[in-house]
Amino acid sequence: MTTPGTAHQSPTQSQAQRPAPLTGLRVLDLATLFAGPLAATLLGDYGAEVIKIEHPTKPDPSRGHGPSKNGVGLWWKVLGRNKHTITLDLSKPGGRATLLRLAATADVVIENFRPGTLEKWDLGWPELSAVNPRLILTRVTAFGQFGPYAHRPGFGTLAEAMSGFAAVTGAPDAPPTLPPFGLADSIAGLATAYAVMTALAARDLTGEGQAVDMAIIEPILTALGPQPTWYDQLGYVQERTGNRSANNAPRNTYRTADGAWVAVSTSAQSIAERVMRLVGRPDLIDEPWFATGADRARHADVLDRAVGDWIARRTRTEVLAAFEKAEAAVAPIQDVRDVLTDPQYQALDTITTIDDPELGPLRMQNVLFRLSATPGTIHWAGRPHGADTDELLTELGLTPAELAALREEGAL
């Protein structure tokens, strides 16, 4: 069993003596829902000191999103992990002044206000860079900082719609389908963490900070692959194909004899041939159209029938064992209950356990990737609203009288 909260593996003694890879990096997380905060979480998992700054009376809405236990939001426990939490109203003069003092000590600021909001508070790039020329100001919005849509309100759902994702998702005769989770936000969060590290690498070369403009509508386009190039060169518009692919077959979900579901993929020609031999239809391999993925996709009805009929006569356990023996690609369709007991996820410690003062033992996804020498760590789950305000601002140099004045003003 691994130590709770470690990066998928128990650290060796030499690893434990090494600093985390982002030790010394200070990140101010001003963002909410969900891309910006996720980027800050990813940085915190690998050693960055992340200070979550929330409004005194309107905390990050993720604290109230989804199910809660004993009044404690569970989404926040994941998104807020490894973050110190303080309150600050940036629209108040005292809140503005305090943020500038914090920014002078920071390496990165992540925010997702509508364009012009920080500028309205005199907290734009000119003001922030004046107090800290090495600062990386990371701005995460639905549509970016300029253009005709820049000032519109927006969420990841709009990116999933605008990007072409919804248009290609779902059955051919069904409406476009949106994902039941924050897909565009999650992709943008990953991209934002990458953007921050790229800007920090540039700072190492130039000695200067800069502003990062991340539009949530853009990273999901990268995830969708070469659709724009296909259209540009061929006029080809990808259509909804359900679980099938226009690029290879068989590729679908199939129901087993015991009512479970499995997914089969044959992106490689050799795998497609192994599957057909396994299901007793080697004759199809000799068909002229079987030689390419695109041609196989045009004969998906025949291939799906062959694979589906074979799978339907066997239990999930039998199917998985037979595919593994044949070295063909298959996976069970799992819900979260299956994920938590899956032996591969268990071996990787993908779901780890954190001891939380509010909820006790708490399972969540572990850090994103394994580093052999300096692994990431989850030190704590999301903390209560404003839990570290007095401690961190006192460390910043504010006196008890100044803290009292900020509270009187409503800035804390």
Side-chain angles (χ1 to χ4, degrees):
M1 180 176 178
T2 58
T3 302
T6 58
H8 307 265
Q9 59 195 23
S10 296
T12 65
Q13 185 175 359
S14 62
Q15 288 171 344
Q17 294 171 349
R18 293 172 178 170
L22 300 183
T23 296
L25 191 74
R26 173 172 272 195
V27 178
L28 306 184
D29 175 10
L30 279 60
T32 59
L33 292 180
F34 287 100
L38 176 59
T41 301
L42 298 174
L43 299 173
D45 284 349
Y46 292 91
E49 178 195 18
V50 181
I51 301 174
K52 176 73 176 181
I53 299 175
E54 300 174 84
H55 191 278
T57 61
K58 294 177 285 187
D60 189 323
S62 67
R63 291 181 179 273
H65 258 59
S68 63
K69 181 180 179 181
N70 300 332
V72 178
L74 299 178
W75 203 327
W76 166 251
K77 284 296 179 184
V78 179
L79 195 62
R81 72 190 193 192
N82 289 339
K83 298 181 183 182
H84 302 285
T85 63
I86 71 172
T87 60
L88 208 58
D89 186 342
L90 305 183
S91 69
K92 305 286 187 183
R96 174 187 181 276
T98 304
L99 181 71
L100 288 174
R101 290 178 68 169
L102 280 167
T105 72
D107 298 280
V108 179
V109 170
I110 301 177
E111 64 94 6
N112 71 334
F113 299 106
R114 282 202 222 176
T117 301
L118 283 185
E119 286 74 12
K120 179 179 65 176
W121 298 331
D122 293 325
L123 287 171
W125 174 242
E127 292 80 11
L128 291 171
S129 62
V131 300
N132 185 353
R134 289 174 56 81
L135 188 69
I136 306 300
L137 173 60
T138 308
R139 320 194 76 167
V140 186
T141 56
F143 306 111
Q145 294 296 308
F146 57 91
Y149 303 164
H151 292 278
R152 292 182 181 179
F155 299 99
T157 297
L158 306 191
E160 291 146 10
M162 286 180 58
S163 63
F165 172 85
V168 300
T169 304
D173 57 351
T177 301
L178 295 168
F181 64 98
L183 177 64
D185 274 303
S186 298
I187 296 172
L190 294 166
T192 300
Y194 168 63
V196 167
M197 298 309 299
T198 303
L200 289 169
R203 188 180 73 174
D204 289 342
L205 298 174
T206 66
E208 299 178 352
Q210 60 182 299
V212 173
D213 180 5
M214 176 62 69
I216 295 173
I217 60 172
E218 291 183 309
I220 191 171
L221 270 171
T222 297
L224 283 167
Q227 289 189 27
T229 306
W230 284 341
Y231 180 75
D232 174 67
Q233 295 296 304
L234 301 172
Y236 172 70
V237 178
Q238 185 174 341
E239 298 178 349
R240 290 190 294 284
T241 56
N243 292 321
R244 289 180 172 177
S245 168
N247 304 310
N248 64 82
R251 191 264 198 183
N252 214 324
T253 59
Y254 306 92
R255 193 168 191 177
T256 64
D258 53 350
W261 291 86
V262 297
V264 173
S265 177
T266 58
S267 295
Q269 181 71 18
S270 60
I271 299 295
E273 293 175 6
R274 290 174 196 168
V275 169
M276 301 322 298
R277 291 191 185 100
L278 173 63
V279 302
R281 293 299 308 273
D283 56 297
L284 294 176
I285 299 173
D286 297 327
E287 293 287 349
W289 50 261
F290 197 88
T292 69
D295 282 339
R296 293 200 310 274
R298 284 188 276 272
H299 293 80
D301 287 342
V302 174
L303 297 171
D304 273 345
R305 191 178 310 114
V307 175
D309 288 349
W310 185 91
I311 288 175
R313 297 193 299 271
R314 291 160 177 83
T315 67
R316 185 175 82 166
T317 299
E318 291 170 335
V319 170
L320 297 179
F323 267 75
E324 182 175 359
K325 184 177 180 180
E327 297 185 358
V330 70
I333 303 294
Q334 300 189 146
D335 63 20
V336 68
R337 295 167 295 186
D338 302 313
V339 168
L340 291 175
T341 58
D342 183 279
Q344 183 62 32
Y345 282 132
Q346 288 181 338
L348 296 173
D349 194 29
T350 305
I351 306 297
T352 196
T353 301
I354 307 302
D355 290 324
D356 182 68
E358 293 182 288
L359 298 175
L362 182 67
R363 287 190 288 183
M364 66 176 65
Q365 297 96 324
N366 210 329
V367 298
L368 192 59
F369 49 86
R370 287 163 291 283
L371 296 177
S372 63
T374 55
T377 304
I378 303 173
H379 294 285
W380 62 81
R383 289 168 56 71
H385 182 226
D388 304 296
T389 300
D390 285 10
E391 179 181 354
L392 286 177
L393 294 186
T394 298
E395 289 178 3
L396 189 65
L398 274 71
T399 66
E402 288 175 311
L403 292 174
L406 288 171
R407 285 199 166 87
E408 179 67 23
E409 183 189 14
L412 290 188

